[in-house]
Amino acid sequence: MLRFILIRLGQAIPILLAIYTITFFMVRAAPGGPFSQERKVAPHILEQQMEYYGFNDPTYIQYFRTLWQHISFDFPPLTSYPGLTSKDIIQDTFPVSLELGLLAMFVSLAIGLPVGILASAKKNSLLDYAPMSFSMIGICLPTFVIGPLLALLFGVWLGWLNISGWFSWSDRILPALTLGLFYAAYIARLTRGGMLEALNMDYIRSARAKGASETTVVLVHALRGGIMPVISFFGPALAGLISGSFVVETIFQVPGLGRHFIQAALSRDHSLILSTVLFYAALIIIANMIVDIVQVMLNPKLRYG
Amino acid sequence: MSTPILPSTEAHPRSPWKDAWRKLSKNRLAMFGLGIFSVMVLLCYASPLFYPHSPTFQTLSFGATPPLTMAIEVRYDPEAIEPDEIITPKEFSDLYAEKPESDVTRISSGETLDISGIIFRKSPIIHLLGTDGHGRDLLARIFQGGRISLGVGFLATFVSLLIGVLYGSISGYLGGKIDAFMMRLVDILYALPFLILVILLMVVFEGSDHQLLLIFMAIGAVEWLTMARIVRGQVVNLKSQEFIEAAKATGVRTSVIILRHLAPNILGPVIVYATLLIPAVMLLESTLSFLGLGVQPPNASWGTLIKEGAEKMMVFPSLLMIPAFFFSLTLFAMNFLGDGLRDALDVKSSKD
């Protein structure tokens, strides 16, 4: 197991380096620089700024300097937030995105798992058809349609919740719901499929034969196998939760990292773009690794594969 | 041995494509999807021929009106052919407080209303779905947005099809270490959040003349991964199949093997995946447009229309609901059609 983790970590390093390189040159190829969108400044001040942020050095020096700054966690000052570094921005805003992501994950599991299990246990009944049709809607409707519609319903017409901001606990409901519903629908379908397959296995028949109650059979025996598709979905789901949070943070004005990333891209803040992309990539690589490890732990077959 | 070699009683062998079509036409949801999708494509692309409103023409007094809003032509000179002004029924009753709105709405088309020398007439053209915040006809905007959203969907899917099929078949055909390396690369790219890459690509190409072209190139460039995997799997699988060996052994030319034996077997999954990719791409494009990174005004896509609607939903909910309805309906239709095709062409589910 330790060897497996070490190999995966070893693979992560060239991946991160490649991502850094691609992003570095893509950002530099983009038209407009970090100072071109502000109002005109005097040439000598611009020159000073260029010098201060190190844009006057040859590209290869900038490439290795920025790389070293990211490796040693000694981040350069940002052009769009003078006096701050990427570390400050990520430290301030990532917890918000993380909270949103975890809440959405909770929503999706709390709705998706029970619905999927119930649908598989009561196959071809109303308890199967109704939720599965609903889940198709949940999968097809994009986040940026569900979000404004929920805001319209609960915020404007019913007036129960705020439609923007991130202050009280009730402000968390709509963003988390918007982000979580798609995954709830997907998880419900995956759970149903996985459970149906597991319920057809021989060991389920054995469990029934030894007199285990139906609840025990479904929740103890079948669930362990039936939940595998959901677990392997967690890797891509995390990437989706991050991308989805760009949209949700924009709809509900949530002060998370996603909005700052888009802002950084629009204002050509080279360091902030680089740091954010690397941060997201590292996050996803780690999450995928954890998913792989959990899968191996739950399924002994994979251990020797 | 008296058993006939060919037990078939049919005169013509049925082609697998006809079989698939028969299966598909029995699937009601899929046919519904196909119908909706065809109508939507036809409406969006043919609407300039018959729909009277231009998506860019602004009637200044018509800022965000509800569906079925009629226009009232105002002529100060009774003989004038062109109306001097076009106003809404509400404006009419605001102008003439003693005349309620119902007064004008009740006049039939053709009939005129003369109030102290000013002639009012109901315009023969109404805004079926009302107007947007800038006084442009909403339905015309939706058609225009649909042209762009669907166009991006088709073209990006085509780009990713091209890359995916090429990459996948090369990887599958060559096999060995090259295959392992190429597929490992796909695995790595899979683990990245696409949206970040697309956003960076959009930023790099921002403000260039061919922005729309670049949007679908950018989307196509990241959406080919699954296609590459599917095609590679098929090629690896087929390469060692007996009927290919048999064809080779009987001296069938390589080009015929590829066209008659390999291509039809790869085509099924490719068609299914492409059908499901179109809505996925449209979704991605709309998400970008919603974030302000995609289609820029005065062009519209369904994403920008929904964005504009979401900004004004407090006052004019219909501006959000109507484009959202069109967009979701199309996505539904495409997904149902794709699922139906999957069943009809008997492609194993690639989802789980």
Side-chain angles (χ1 to χ4, degrees), chain A residues 68-109:
Chain A
W68 177 247
Q69 281 164 339
H70 279 97
I71 294 172
S72 59
F73 283 94
D74 177 25
F75 295 101
L78 296 176
T79 50
S80 56
Y81 299 93
L84 293 179
T85 66
S86 321
K87 202 168 120 194
D88 301 319
I89 300 286
I90 292 175
Q91 254 172 8
D92 277 358
T93 58
F94 179 63
V96 174
S97 295
L98 185 68
E99 190 188 341
L100 175 60
L102 288 178
L103 284 172
M105 207 49 139
F106 172 75
V107 166
S108 64
L109 287 176

mmCIF file of all heavy atoms in Angstrom, chain A residues 68-109:
data_model
loop_
_atom_site.group_PDB
_atom_site.id
_atom_site.type_symbol
_atom_site.label_atom_id
_atom_site.label_comp_id
_atom_site.label_asym_id
_atom_site.label_seq_id
_atom_site.Cartn_x
_atom_site.Cartn_y
_atom_site.Cartn_z
ATOM 1 N N TRP A 68 10.230 28.233 -8.538
ATOM 2 C CA TRP A 68 10.856 28.105 -7.220
ATOM 3 C C TRP A 68 9.972 28.735 -6.140
ATOM 4 O O TRP A 68 9.827 28.197 -5.045
ATOM 5 C CB TRP A 68 12.257 28.726 -7.222
ATOM 6 C CG TRP A 68 12.866 28.657 -5.850
ATOM 7 C CD1 TRP A 68 13.149 29.698 -5.033
ATOM 8 C CD2 TRP A 68 13.204 27.460 -5.135
ATOM 9 N NE1 TRP A 68 13.653 29.235 -3.854
ATOM 10 C CE2 TRP A 68 13.691 27.849 -3.880
ATOM 11 C CE3 TRP A 68 13.134 26.101 -5.439
ATOM 12 C CZ2 TRP A 68 14.113 26.940 -2.921
ATOM 13 C CZ3 TRP A 68 13.553 25.184 -4.482
ATOM 14 C CH2 TRP A 68 14.036 25.604 -3.244
ATOM 15 N N GLN A 69 9.369 29.872 -6.507
ATOM 16 C CA GLN A 69 8.496 30.524 -5.528
ATOM 17 C C GLN A 69 7.344 29.614 -5.123
ATOM 18 O O GLN A 69 6.922 29.593 -3.966
ATOM 19 C CB GLN A 69 7.943 31.830 -6.114
ATOM 20 C CG GLN A 69 8.953 32.967 -6.042
ATOM 21 C CD GLN A 69 8.575 34.117 -6.933
ATOM 22 O OE1 GLN A 69 7.814 33.973 -7.883
ATOM 23 N NE2 GLN A 69 9.102 35.283 -6.648
ATOM 24 N N HIS A 70 6.834 28.829 -6.094
ATOM 25 C CA HIS A 70 5.731 27.930 -5.757
ATOM 26 C C HIS A 70 6.211 26.721 -4.969
ATOM 27 O O HIS A 70 5.497 26.236 -4.097
ATOM 28 C CB HIS A 70 4.993 27.492 -7.022
ATOM 29 C CG HIS A 70 4.023 28.523 -7.499
ATOM 30 N ND1 HIS A 70 4.328 29.427 -8.491
ATOM 31 C CD2 HIS A 70 2.774 28.833 -7.101
ATOM 32 C CE1 HIS A 70 3.300 30.231 -8.688
ATOM 33 N NE2 HIS A 70 2.344 29.890 -7.861
ATOM 34 N N ILE A 71 7.420 26.248 -5.284
ATOM 35 C CA ILE A 71 7.929 25.085 -4.549
ATOM 36 C C ILE A 71 8.232 25.468 -3.103
ATOM 37 O O ILE A 71 7.926 24.731 -2.169
ATOM 38 C CB ILE A 71 9.199 24.526 -5.232
ATOM 39 C CG1 ILE A 71 8.827 23.968 -6.616
ATOM 40 C CG2 ILE A 71 9.846 23.449 -4.386
ATOM 41 C CD1 ILE A 71 10.025 23.579 -7.449
ATOM 42 N N SER A 72 8.800 26.668 -2.928
ATOM 43 C CA SER A 72 9.211 27.051 -1.571
ATOM 44 C C SER A 72 8.108 27.781 -0.813
ATOM 45 O O SER A 72 8.323 28.250 0.299
ATOM 46 C CB SER A 72 10.451 27.947 -1.663
ATOM 47 O OG SER A 72 10.135 29.087 -2.433
ATOM 48 N N PHE A 73 6.910 27.869 -1.401
ATOM 49 C CA PHE A 73 5.780 28.550 -0.752
ATOM 50 C C PHE A 73 6.081 29.992 -0.387
ATOM 51 O O PHE A 73 5.588 30.507 0.593
ATOM 52 C CB PHE A 73 5.319 27.788 0.497
ATOM 53 C CG PHE A 73 4.518 26.580 0.170
ATOM 54 C CD1 PHE A 73 5.111 25.335 0.059
ATOM 55 C CD2 PHE A 73 3.141 26.682 -0.045
ATOM 56 C CE1 PHE A 73 4.373 24.225 -0.273
ATOM 57 C CE2 PHE A 73 2.402 25.570 -0.373
ATOM 58 C CZ PHE A 73 3.013 24.337 -0.489
ATOM 59 N N ASP A 74 6.956 30.629 -1.182
ATOM 60 C CA ASP A 74 7.293 32.026 -0.926
ATOM 61 C C ASP A 74 6.740 32.831 -2.101
ATOM 62 O O ASP A 74 7.433 33.098 -3.064
ATOM 63 C CB ASP A 74 8.824 32.160 -0.817
ATOM 64 C CG ASP A 74 9.230 33.604 -0.637
ATOM 65 O OD1 ASP A 74 8.399 34.387 -0.138
ATOM 66 O OD2 ASP A 74 10.374 33.932 -1.004
ATOM 67 N N PHE A 75 5.436 33.170 -1.998
ATOM 68 C CA PHE A 75 4.747 33.687 -3.181
ATOM 69 C C PHE A 75 5.056 35.155 -3.436
ATOM 70 O O PHE A 75 5.259 35.925 -2.500
ATOM 71 C CB PHE A 75 3.239 33.494 -3.031
ATOM 72 C CG PHE A 75 2.859 32.053 -2.989
ATOM 73 C CD1 PHE A 75 2.585 31.425 -1.789
ATOM 74 C CD2 PHE A 75 2.801 31.312 -4.148
ATOM 75 C CE1 PHE A 75 2.246 30.084 -1.751
ATOM 76 C CE2 PHE A 75 2.467 29.970 -4.134
ATOM 77 C CZ PHE A 75 2.187 29.360 -2.918
ATOM 78 N N PRO A 76 5.092 35.525 -4.736
ATOM 79 C CA PRO A 76 5.359 36.918 -5.094
ATOM 80 C C PRO A 76 4.117 37.787 -4.845
ATOM 81 O O PRO A 76 3.008 37.264 -4.743
ATOM 82 C CB PRO A 76 5.666 36.839 -6.589
ATOM 83 C CG PRO A 76 4.885 35.655 -7.048
ATOM 84 C CD PRO A 76 4.874 34.688 -5.916
ATOM 85 N N PRO A 77 4.306 39.114 -4.758
ATOM 86 C CA PRO A 77 3.140 39.991 -4.591
ATOM 87 C C PRO A 77 2.252 39.942 -5.835
ATOM 88 O O PRO A 77 2.733 39.717 -6.939
ATOM 89 C CB PRO A 77 3.763 41.372 -4.405
ATOM 90 C CG PRO A 77 5.127 41.269 -4.978
ATOM 91 C CD PRO A 77 5.561 39.850 -4.773
ATOM 92 N N LEU A 78 0.966 40.140 -5.624
ATOM 93 C CA LEU A 78 0.007 40.061 -6.730
ATOM 94 C C LEU A 78 -0.166 41.422 -7.391
ATOM 95 O O LEU A 78 -0.059 42.458 -6.734
ATOM 96 C CB LEU A 78 -1.353 39.594 -6.210
ATOM 97 C CG LEU A 78 -1.393 38.195 -5.636
ATOM 98 C CD1 LEU A 78 -2.775 37.915 -5.071
ATOM 99 C CD2 LEU A 78 -1.038 37.176 -6.702
ATOM 100 N N THR A 79 -0.447 41.392 -8.682
ATOM 101 C CA THR A 79 -0.659 42.661 -9.376
ATOM 102 C C THR A 79 -2.064 43.184 -9.187
ATOM 103 O O THR A 79 -2.301 44.381 -9.229
ATOM 104 C CB THR A 79 -0.391 42.504 -10.880
ATOM 105 O OG1 THR A 79 -1.118 41.373 -11.353
ATOM 106 C CG2 THR A 79 1.078 42.318 -11.162
ATOM 107 N N SER A 80 -3.042 42.244 -8.983
ATOM 108 C CA SER A 80 -4.417 42.728 -8.857
ATOM 109 C C SER A 80 -4.793 43.044 -7.407
ATOM 110 O O SER A 80 -5.783 43.719 -7.156
ATOM 111 C CB SER A 80 -5.391 41.709 -9.454
ATOM 112 O OG SER A 80 -5.219 40.465 -8.848
ATOM 113 N N TYR A 81 -4.024 42.527 -6.461
ATOM 114 C CA TYR A 81 -4.256 42.876 -5.059
ATOM 115 C C TYR A 81 -2.923 43.328 -4.472
ATOM 116 O O TYR A 81 -2.226 42.517 -3.853
ATOM 117 C CB TYR A 81 -4.786 41.683 -4.263
ATOM 118 C CG TYR A 81 -6.105 41.153 -4.754
ATOM 119 C CD1 TYR A 81 -6.158 40.125 -5.679
ATOM 120 C CD2 TYR A 81 -7.307 41.661 -4.264
ATOM 121 C CE1 TYR A 81 -7.369 39.630 -6.131
ATOM 122 C CE2 TYR A 81 -8.516 41.182 -4.703
ATOM 123 C CZ TYR A 81 -8.537 40.165 -5.641
ATOM 124 O OH TYR A 81 -9.742 39.672 -6.075
ATOM 125 N N PRO A 82 -2.537 44.565 -4.684
ATOM 126 C CA PRO A 82 -1.211 45.004 -4.225
ATOM 127 C C PRO A 82 -1.035 44.737 -2.732
ATOM 128 O O PRO A 82 -1.947 44.985 -1.942
ATOM 129 C CB PRO A 82 -1.208 46.499 -4.518
ATOM 130 C CG PRO A 82 -2.243 46.692 -5.555
ATOM 131 C CD PRO A 82 -3.272 45.651 -5.313
ATOM 132 N N GLY A 83 0.141 44.214 -2.387
ATOM 133 C CA GLY A 83 0.426 43.960 -0.976
ATOM 134 C C GLY A 83 0.032 42.577 -0.522
ATOM 135 O O GLY A 83 0.443 42.128 0.538
ATOM 136 N N LEU A 84 -0.784 41.874 -1.309
ATOM 137 C CA LEU A 84 -1.178 40.520 -0.927
ATOM 138 C C LEU A 84 -0.456 39.513 -1.814
ATOM 139 O O LEU A 84 0.022 39.847 -2.894
ATOM 140 C CB LEU A 84 -2.686 40.336 -1.087
ATOM 141 C CG LEU A 84 -3.588 41.144 -0.156
ATOM 142 C CD1 LEU A 84 -5.042 40.866 -0.475
ATOM 143 C CD2 LEU A 84 -3.295 40.820 1.292
ATOM 144 N N THR A 85 -0.387 38.250 -1.348
ATOM 145 C CA THR A 85 0.151 37.180 -2.191
ATOM 146 C C THR A 85 -0.953 36.162 -2.446
ATOM 147 O O THR A 85 -2.003 36.200 -1.803
ATOM 148 C CB THR A 85 1.342 36.475 -1.525
ATOM 149 O OG1 THR A 85 0.841 35.801 -0.366
ATOM 150 C CG2 THR A 85 2.426 37.455 -1.138
ATOM 151 N N SER A 86 -0.676 35.235 -3.384
ATOM 152 C CA SER A 86 -1.673 34.194 -3.685
ATOM 153 C C SER A 86 -2.045 33.419 -2.430
ATOM 154 O O SER A 86 -3.183 32.986 -2.273
ATOM 155 C CB SER A 86 -1.114 33.197 -4.698
ATOM 156 O OG SER A 86 -0.362 33.836 -5.668
ATOM 157 N N LYS A 87 -1.049 33.257 -1.542
ATOM 158 C CA LYS A 87 -1.297 32.489 -0.323
ATOM 159 C C LYS A 87 -2.409 33.147 0.497
ATOM 160 O O LYS A 87 -3.298 32.466 0.989
ATOM 161 C CB LYS A 87 -0.002 32.420 0.486
ATOM 162 C CG LYS A 87 0.037 31.259 1.452
ATOM 163 C CD LYS A 87 1.433 31.083 1.991
ATOM 164 C CE LYS A 87 1.453 31.242 3.489
ATOM 165 N NZ LYS A 87 2.825 31.404 3.978
ATOM 166 N N ASP A 88 -2.343 34.492 0.588
ATOM 167 C CA ASP A 88 -3.377 35.203 1.352
ATOM 168 C C ASP A 88 -4.749 34.970 0.738
ATOM 169 O O ASP A 88 -5.725 34.694 1.447
ATOM 170 C CB ASP A 88 -3.087 36.707 1.363
ATOM 171 C CG ASP A 88 -1.741 37.009 1.980
ATOM 172 O OD1 ASP A 88 -1.423 36.365 2.994
ATOM 173 O OD2 ASP A 88 -1.028 37.872 1.446
ATOM 174 N N ILE A 89 -4.810 35.089 -0.606
ATOM 175 C CA ILE A 89 -6.096 34.950 -1.282
ATOM 176 C C ILE A 89 -6.640 33.533 -1.086
ATOM 177 O O ILE A 89 -7.801 33.337 -0.717
ATOM 178 C CB ILE A 89 -5.951 35.230 -2.796
ATOM 179 C CG1 ILE A 89 -5.443 36.651 -3.044
ATOM 180 C CG2 ILE A 89 -7.262 34.990 -3.519
ATOM 181 C CD1 ILE A 89 -6.437 37.732 -2.814
ATOM 182 N N ILE A 90 -5.769 32.532 -1.298
ATOM 183 C CA ILE A 90 -6.237 31.151 -1.172
ATOM 184 C C ILE A 90 -6.645 30.858 0.264
ATOM 185 O O ILE A 90 -7.678 30.251 0.521
ATOM 186 C CB ILE A 90 -5.155 30.169 -1.669
ATOM 187 C CG1 ILE A 90 -4.984 30.329 -3.186
ATOM 188 C CG2 ILE A 90 -5.534 28.734 -1.340
ATOM 189 C CD1 ILE A 90 -3.878 29.511 -3.787
ATOM 190 N N GLN A 91 -5.835 31.359 1.210
ATOM 191 C CA GLN A 91 -6.168 31.136 2.619
ATOM 192 C C GLN A 91 -7.500 31.759 2.993
ATOM 193 O O GLN A 91 -8.270 31.193 3.758
ATOM 194 C CB GLN A 91 -5.079 31.751 3.500
ATOM 195 C CG GLN A 91 -4.174 30.710 4.119
ATOM 196 C CD GLN A 91 -2.998 31.348 4.831
ATOM 197 O OE1 GLN A 91 -2.940 32.572 4.993
ATOM 198 N NE2 GLN A 91 -2.065 30.537 5.248
ATOM 199 N N ASP A 92 -7.770 32.928 2.440
ATOM 200 C CA ASP A 92 -9.002 33.631 2.788
ATOM 201 C C ASP A 92 -10.228 33.023 2.127
ATOM 202 O O ASP A 92 -11.297 32.988 2.721
ATOM 203 C CB ASP A 92 -8.911 35.106 2.349
ATOM 204 C CG ASP A 92 -8.179 35.930 3.381
ATOM 205 O OD1 ASP A 92 -7.794 35.357 4.408
ATOM 206 O OD2 ASP A 92 -8.007 37.140 3.148
ATOM 207 N N THR A 93 -10.066 32.600 0.853
ATOM 208 C CA THR A 93 -11.263 32.264 0.102
ATOM 209 C C THR A 93 -11.491 30.774 -0.062
ATOM 210 O O THR A 93 -12.620 30.349 -0.249
ATOM 211 C CB THR A 93 -11.210 32.894 -1.308
ATOM 212 O OG1 THR A 93 -10.044 32.421 -1.960
ATOM 213 C CG2 THR A 93 -11.187 34.394 -1.230
ATOM 214 N N PHE A 94 -10.428 29.968 0.012
ATOM 215 C CA PHE A 94 -10.645 28.539 -0.207
ATOM 216 C C PHE A 94 -11.547 27.915 0.856
ATOM 217 O O PHE A 94 -12.394 27.086 0.525
ATOM 218 C CB PHE A 94 -9.332 27.775 -0.314
ATOM 219 C CG PHE A 94 -9.548 26.312 -0.513
ATOM 220 C CD1 PHE A 94 -10.184 25.848 -1.658
ATOM 221 C CD2 PHE A 94 -9.186 25.386 0.452
ATOM 222 C CE1 PHE A 94 -10.431 24.506 -1.842
ATOM 223 C CE2 PHE A 94 -9.429 24.038 0.274
ATOM 224 C CZ PHE A 94 -10.057 23.599 -0.868
ATOM 225 N N PRO A 95 -11.404 28.294 2.146
ATOM 226 C CA PRO A 95 -12.314 27.697 3.134
ATOM 227 C C PRO A 95 -13.784 27.882 2.761
ATOM 228 O O PRO A 95 -14.599 26.996 2.996
ATOM 229 C CB PRO A 95 -11.978 28.447 4.425
ATOM 230 C CG PRO A 95 -10.573 28.866 4.256
ATOM 231 C CD PRO A 95 -10.400 29.146 2.799
ATOM 232 N N VAL A 96 -14.107 29.015 2.142
ATOM 233 C CA VAL A 96 -15.494 29.245 1.733
ATOM 234 C C VAL A 96 -15.897 28.236 0.656
ATOM 235 O O VAL A 96 -16.943 27.591 0.746
ATOM 236 C CB VAL A 96 -15.668 30.689 1.214
ATOM 237 C CG1 VAL A 96 -17.056 30.886 0.646
ATOM 238 C CG2 VAL A 96 -15.387 31.683 2.317
ATOM 239 N N SER A 97 -15.018 28.081 -0.366
ATOM 240 C CA SER A 97 -15.314 27.120 -1.426
ATOM 241 C C SER A 97 -15.385 25.700 -0.879
ATOM 242 O O SER A 97 -16.224 24.903 -1.292
ATOM 243 C CB SER A 97 -14.248 27.174 -2.516
ATOM 244 O OG SER A 97 -14.277 28.406 -3.159
ATOM 245 N N LEU A 98 -14.471 25.412 0.049
ATOM 246 C CA LEU A 98 -14.444 24.072 0.640
ATOM 247 C C LEU A 98 -15.741 23.805 1.386
ATOM 248 O O LEU A 98 -16.349 22.739 1.248
ATOM 249 C CB LEU A 98 -13.251 23.949 1.583
ATOM 250 C CG LEU A 98 -13.030 22.570 2.192
ATOM 251 C CD1 LEU A 98 -12.609 21.592 1.119
ATOM 252 C CD2 LEU A 98 -11.997 22.605 3.306
ATOM 253 N N GLU A 99 -16.177 24.797 2.157
ATOM 254 C CA GLU A 99 -17.420 24.629 2.906
ATOM 255 C C GLU A 99 -18.581 24.382 1.949
ATOM 256 O O GLU A 99 -19.384 23.468 2.141
ATOM 257 C CB GLU A 99 -17.686 25.881 3.753
ATOM 258 C CG GLU A 99 -18.818 25.689 4.747
ATOM 259 C CD GLU A 99 -19.206 26.989 5.439
ATOM 260 O OE1 GLU A 99 -18.383 27.936 5.429
ATOM 261 O OE2 GLU A 99 -20.313 27.054 5.954
ATOM 262 N N LEU A 100 -18.627 25.194 0.895
ATOM 263 C CA LEU A 100 -19.682 25.033 -0.112
ATOM 264 C C LEU A 100 -19.619 23.642 -0.735
ATOM 265 O O LEU A 100 -20.638 22.953 -0.862
ATOM 266 C CB LEU A 100 -19.533 26.119 -1.188
ATOM 267 C CG LEU A 100 -20.463 26.052 -2.388
ATOM 268 C CD1 LEU A 100 -21.904 26.141 -1.942
ATOM 269 C CD2 LEU A 100 -20.156 27.180 -3.363
ATOM 270 N N GLY A 101 -18.399 23.211 -1.098
ATOM 271 C CA GLY A 101 -18.238 21.900 -1.721
ATOM 272 C C GLY A 101 -18.653 20.775 -0.793
ATOM 273 O O GLY A 101 -19.338 19.842 -1.202
ATOM 274 N N LEU A 102 -18.248 20.869 0.497
ATOM 275 C CA LEU A 102 -18.588 19.807 1.448
ATOM 276 C C LEU A 102 -20.092 19.765 1.682
ATOM 277 O O LEU A 102 -20.691 18.694 1.753
ATOM 278 C CB LEU A 102 -17.843 20.028 2.772
ATOM 279 C CG LEU A 102 -16.342 19.747 2.732
ATOM 280 C CD1 LEU A 102 -15.703 20.044 4.077
ATOM 281 C CD2 LEU A 102 -16.070 18.300 2.335
ATOM 282 N N LEU A 103 -20.705 20.951 1.804
ATOM 283 C CA LEU A 103 -22.158 20.982 1.996
ATOM 284 C C LEU A 103 -22.866 20.367 0.798
ATOM 285 O O LEU A 103 -23.817 19.598 0.946
ATOM 286 C CB LEU A 103 -22.635 22.430 2.192
ATOM 287 C CG LEU A 103 -22.367 23.036 3.567
ATOM 288 C CD1 LEU A 103 -22.709 24.511 3.568
ATOM 289 C CD2 LEU A 103 -23.182 22.316 4.624
ATOM 290 N N ALA A 104 -22.373 20.708 -0.416
ATOM 291 C CA ALA A 104 -22.985 20.158 -1.621
ATOM 292 C C ALA A 104 -22.808 18.653 -1.662
ATOM 293 O O ALA A 104 -23.723 17.910 -2.039
ATOM 294 C CB ALA A 104 -22.380 20.801 -2.858
ATOM 295 N N MET A 105 -21.611 18.190 -1.264
ATOM 296 C CA MET A 105 -21.348 16.757 -1.205
ATOM 297 C C MET A 105 -22.316 16.098 -0.235
ATOM 298 O O MET A 105 -22.882 15.036 -0.520
ATOM 299 C CB MET A 105 -19.907 16.561 -0.732
ATOM 300 C CG MET A 105 -19.255 15.310 -1.184
ATOM 301 S SD MET A 105 -19.477 15.101 -2.932
ATOM 302 C CE MET A 105 -17.929 14.527 -3.428
ATOM 303 N N PHE A 106 -22.508 16.744 0.921
ATOM 304 C CA PHE A 106 -23.422 16.213 1.924
ATOM 305 C C PHE A 106 -24.841 16.133 1.349
ATOM 306 O O PHE A 106 -25.516 15.111 1.469
ATOM 307 C CB PHE A 106 -23.400 17.108 3.173
ATOM 308 C CG PHE A 106 -24.440 16.749 4.184
ATOM 309 C CD1 PHE A 106 -24.273 15.616 4.982
ATOM 310 C CD2 PHE A 106 -25.593 17.499 4.328
ATOM 311 C CE1 PHE A 106 -25.240 15.263 5.896
ATOM 312 C CE2 PHE A 106 -26.555 17.154 5.248
ATOM 313 C CZ PHE A 106 -26.383 16.028 6.035
ATOM 314 N N VAL A 107 -25.270 17.212 0.694
ATOM 315 C CA VAL A 107 -26.606 17.230 0.084
ATOM 316 C C VAL A 107 -26.750 16.072 -0.899
ATOM 317 O O VAL A 107 -27.726 15.321 -0.872
ATOM 318 C CB VAL A 107 -26.846 18.575 -0.644
ATOM 319 C CG1 VAL A 107 -28.066 18.486 -1.561
ATOM 320 C CG2 VAL A 107 -27.031 19.698 0.346
ATOM 321 N N SER A 108 -25.713 15.916 -1.758
ATOM 322 C CA SER A 108 -25.835 14.912 -2.812
ATOM 323 C C SER A 108 -25.875 13.503 -2.227
ATOM 324 O O SER A 108 -26.628 12.660 -2.707
ATOM 325 C CB SER A 108 -24.693 15.059 -3.811
ATOM 326 O OG SER A 108 -23.475 14.805 -3.167
ATOM 327 N N LEU A 109 -25.080 13.254 -1.180
ATOM 328 C CA LEU A 109 -25.105 11.919 -0.575
ATOM 329 C C LEU A 109 -26.382 11.704 0.212
ATOM 330 O O LEU A 109 -26.992 10.636 0.155
ATOM 331 C CB LEU A 109 -23.891 11.733 0.347
ATOM 332 C CG LEU A 109 -22.554 11.558 -0.369
ATOM 333 C CD1 LEU A 109 -21.425 11.492 0.638
ATOM 334 C CD2 LEU A 109 -22.568 10.304 -1.219
#
